């Protein structure tokens, strides 16, 4: 199963008026998810990106949240978490989503999908992909990361998006807080075939077999996606930004 970290989702209320301080991360207009009543802006960091997500049709989103798909979908987490701003989820990219689903089935892991999706840009151009979600009814655990397969190959997407890459940055680590770390770690190992890199009294670092971005599961009173660590080859010292419920940490590239 070939998986790579693809993107992280950050819910931002009134996104149309949002920018990062000093435009440290530059945002590109994404488009509209008409199915959910949401829209986004994107900050591309090489092959990965940060998706800033907001609601444009709240009634449509709330209605979608009541469906079986909506129970697991990325956008409806906004409703489920009572419109609390912050990081909502992360997504792993695959080139064979059917094979991923088969692996989950073989391991008796319930899933929903693949689901055909599309986003329409301001010029009417459409980007298409498929999503696959893991069903986890443990309310004390974080919402499981989900899977994406883009219609375009990685090479085609790279060629289309390379001018948007902010190449002085690279994503190093995603930190997830968990009130039941041993169970979350065990789930992530089963679901995503992650390897343990390091484990201490307070956190466990994991990594995908085919990627170099770390996933840290950290003890916390509340289970949630917490922080994003970004290496910056133009920074002289580390600094952090706490904004709209999310923590962005920047460190010099040594």
């Amino acid at each position: 199963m070939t998986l790579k970290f693809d993107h992280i989702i950050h819910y931002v209320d009134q996104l149309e008026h949002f920018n990062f301080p000093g435009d440290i991360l530059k945002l590109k207009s994404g488009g509209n998810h008409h199915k959910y009543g949401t829209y986004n802006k994107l900050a591309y960091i090489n092959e990965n990106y940060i998706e800033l997500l907001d609601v444009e049709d709240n009634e449509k989103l709330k209605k979608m949240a009541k469906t079986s798909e909506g129970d697991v979908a990325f956008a409806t987490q906004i409703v489920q978490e009572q419109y609390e701003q912050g990081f909502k989820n992360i997504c792993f990219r695959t080139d064979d989503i059917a094979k991923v689903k088969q692996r989950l089935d073989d391991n008796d892991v319930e899933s929903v999908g693949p689901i055909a999706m599309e986003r329409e840009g301001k010029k009417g151009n459409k980007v298409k992909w498929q999503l696959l979600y893991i069903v986890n009814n443990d309310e004390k655990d974080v919402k499981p990361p989900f899977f994406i397969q883009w219609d375009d190959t990685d090479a085609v997407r790279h060629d289309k998006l390379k001018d948007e890459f902010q190449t002085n940055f690279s994503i190093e680590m995603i930190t997830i807080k968990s009130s039941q770390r041993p169970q979350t770690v065990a789930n992530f190992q089963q679901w995503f075939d992650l390897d343990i890199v390091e484990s201490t009294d307070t956190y466990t670092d994991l990594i995908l077999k085919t990627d170099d971005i770390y996933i840290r599961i950290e003890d916390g009173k509340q289970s949630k996606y917490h922080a994003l660590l970004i290496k910056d080859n133009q920074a002289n010292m580390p600094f952090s930004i706490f904004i709209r419920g999310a923590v962005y940490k920047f460190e010099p590239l040594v």
Side-chain angles (χ1 to χ4, degrees), residues 36-98:
Y36 293 135
T38 57
Y39 70 98
N40 63 17
K41 292 184 179 181
L42 309 171
Y44 288 101
I45 299 178
N46 303 320
E47 302 291 343
N48 317 117
Y49 67 95
I50 302 162
E51 177 180 8
L52 289 301
L53 187 69
D54 196 9
V55 182
E56 66 173 2
D57 188 332
N58 195 41
E59 291 306 311
K60 182 181 287 189
L61 184 61
K62 288 194 292 185
K63 184 177 180 180
M64 189 66 191
K66 296 177 182 178
T67 67
S68 57
E69 178 185 332
D71 189 51
V72 293
F74 70 92
T76 52
Q77 281 183 250
I78 296 171
V79 177
Q80 293 163 350
E81 298 176 9
Q82 300 179 338
Y83 300 88
E84 180 182 2
Q85 295 185 99
F87 290 130
K88 293 297 151 188
N89 212 326
I90 59 175
C91 182
F92 295 136
R93 183 171 68 251
T94 178
D95 60 0
D96 193 341
I97 205 163

Side-chain angles (χ1 to χ4, degrees), residues 2 7 15 23 42 54 61-62 70 94 106 130 151 154 165 169 184-185 188 201 211-212 253:
T2 302
H7 66 278
L15 177 59
D23 286 329
L42 309 171
D54 196 9
L61 184 61
K62 288 194 292 185
T94 178
D106 292 344
Q130 298 177 72
D151 272 18
D154 283 356
F165 293 168
F169 297 123
T184 302
V185 170
F188 275 41
D201 291 340
D211 204 5
D212 56 2
L253 182 64

Side-chain angles (χ1 to χ4, degrees), residues 143-162:
K143 198 93 166 184
F146 59 102
F147 307 92
I148 189 167
Q149 180 177 340
W150 297 96
D151 272 18
D152 287 336
T153 65
D154 283 356
V156 170
R157 291 188 71 249
H158 182 278
D159 191 56
K160 286 182 178 179
L161 299 170
K162 61 185 178 181

Side-chain angles (χ1 to χ4, degrees), residues 10-44:
H10 182 182
Y11 165 52
V12 174
D13 187 27
Q14 298 185 345
L15 177 59
E16 67 271 23
H17 305 301
F18 176 83
N19 285 293
F20 284 98
D23 286 329
I24 186 168
L25 293 173
K26 296 176 174 57
L27 299 179
K28 174 182 172 60
S29 178
N32 305 78
H33 309 109
H34 295 301
K35 185 176 185 178
Y36 293 135
T38 57
Y39 70 98
N40 63 17
K41 292 184 179 181
L42 309 171
Y44 288 101

Side-chain angles (χ1 to χ4, degrees), residues 175-194:
T175 299
I176 302 170
K177 288 191 175 293
S178 173
S179 62
Q180 46 185 16
R181 176 164 58 104
Q183 185 59 56
T184 302
V185 170
N187 287 342
F188 275 41
Q189 285 187 285
Q190 179 191 14
W191 297 337
F192 309 112
D193 197 23
L194 288 156

